[in-house]
Amino acid sequence: FYTTALRGLIVKFWNVYGIEKDYEKSHVITDFIRKGFEEGDFEMMTDGTEERQFLYAEDCCEGLEIIMNHYTDFKTEDPLHITSFNSTSIKQIAEIIQGQFRLIGKEVNIKPGLAKDSVQMDKRNEANNYIMNWWLPKTTIDQGIAKVFNEMKNDWI
């Protein structure tokens, strides 16, 4: 209400991930990497079939910078979604992370759990691609996970 009243812009963020040193705040990507180093093999909380649009933090920052630089190009009702525009399953995330462990000579098996996703319950939110006229993310999920992994491994190796 206040943002609209002040003619501000509303930006929706979609599953932004990056290097997080406070492991109490970790979410799926950083949590899987941390568990792989601390526990070795582990089981996911769900069966991993749920999908999300993950966005690397540096791309998110660039998207926000583009919005700030083009602020007057937007109207308050414009759908400004900052996302990767690519869905990735949690199983795929696990496979990418397992591959990162293999690159350092450590075999980590991330097994799917039995539970279904109880948060989104297989509902698919679709991002509005209006922002693509000004900005596109540059970092693939594989590249972003590799950056996070390489930074986090310094805490264990």
Side-chain angles (χ1 to χ4, degrees):
F1 171 78
Y2 291 111
T3 302
T4 304
L6 295 169
R7 294 189 207 131
L9 301 175
I10 296 172
V11 179
K12 294 182 180 179
F13 299 98
W14 290 61
N15 301 295
V16 178
Y17 70 96
I19 297 159
E20 175 61 66
K21 291 298 185 174
D22 182 352
Y23 296 128
E24 296 299 315
K25 293 181 181 179
S26 66
H27 292 280
V28 68
I29 292 171
T30 49
D31 192 44
F32 281 11
I33 296 169
R34 180 189 59 79
K35 282 183 177 179
F37 280 112
E38 291 179 355
E39 301 172 22
D41 297 346
F42 66 91
E43 187 174 296
M44 293 187 273
M45 295 174 68
T46 68
D47 65 2
T49 57
E50 66 274 22
E51 294 182 0
R52 306 281 186 272
Q53 292 185 24
F54 293 95
L55 179 68
Y56 188 59
E58 289 178 12
D59 287 337
C60 180
C61 294
E62 182 182 275
L64 285 172
E65 185 176 13
I66 293 292
I67 290 170
M68 288 185 293
N69 290 337
H70 295 272
Y71 191 86
T72 57
D73 294 343
F74 301 111
K75 298 182 292 295
T76 58
E77 65 273 6
D78 285 341
L80 302 174
H81 293 210
I82 303 290
T83 181
S84 65
F85 301 102
N86 292 308
S87 293
T88 306
S89 74
I90 302 303
K91 276 184 183 178
Q92 290 171 297
I93 297 296
E95 291 167 3
I96 295 167
I97 291 170
Q98 288 174 139
Q100 290 296 310
F101 277 108
R102 279 188 214 102
L103 288 174
I104 63 166
K106 182 174 172 131
E107 197 62 39
V108 172
N109 187 16
I110 305 173
K111 300 171 277 241
L114 297 176
K116 286 284 188 189
D117 173 33
S118 62
V119 176
Q120 291 185 345
M121 301 177 74
D122 284 335
K123 292 179 186 159
R124 299 280 189 263
N125 294 326
E126 288 302 320
N128 189 300
N129 65 3
Y130 178 74
I131 193 70
M132 293 170 94
N133 293 315
W134 290 268
W135 167 83
L136 282 172
K138 294 182 176 103
T139 310
T140 67
I141 190 71
D142 297 80
Q143 293 166 334
I145 288 175
K147 289 179 182 184
V148 172
F149 184 91
N150 287 327
E151 183 66 29
M152 287 178 70
K153 78 179 178 186
N154 295 329
D155 291 346
W156 284 277
I157 294 179

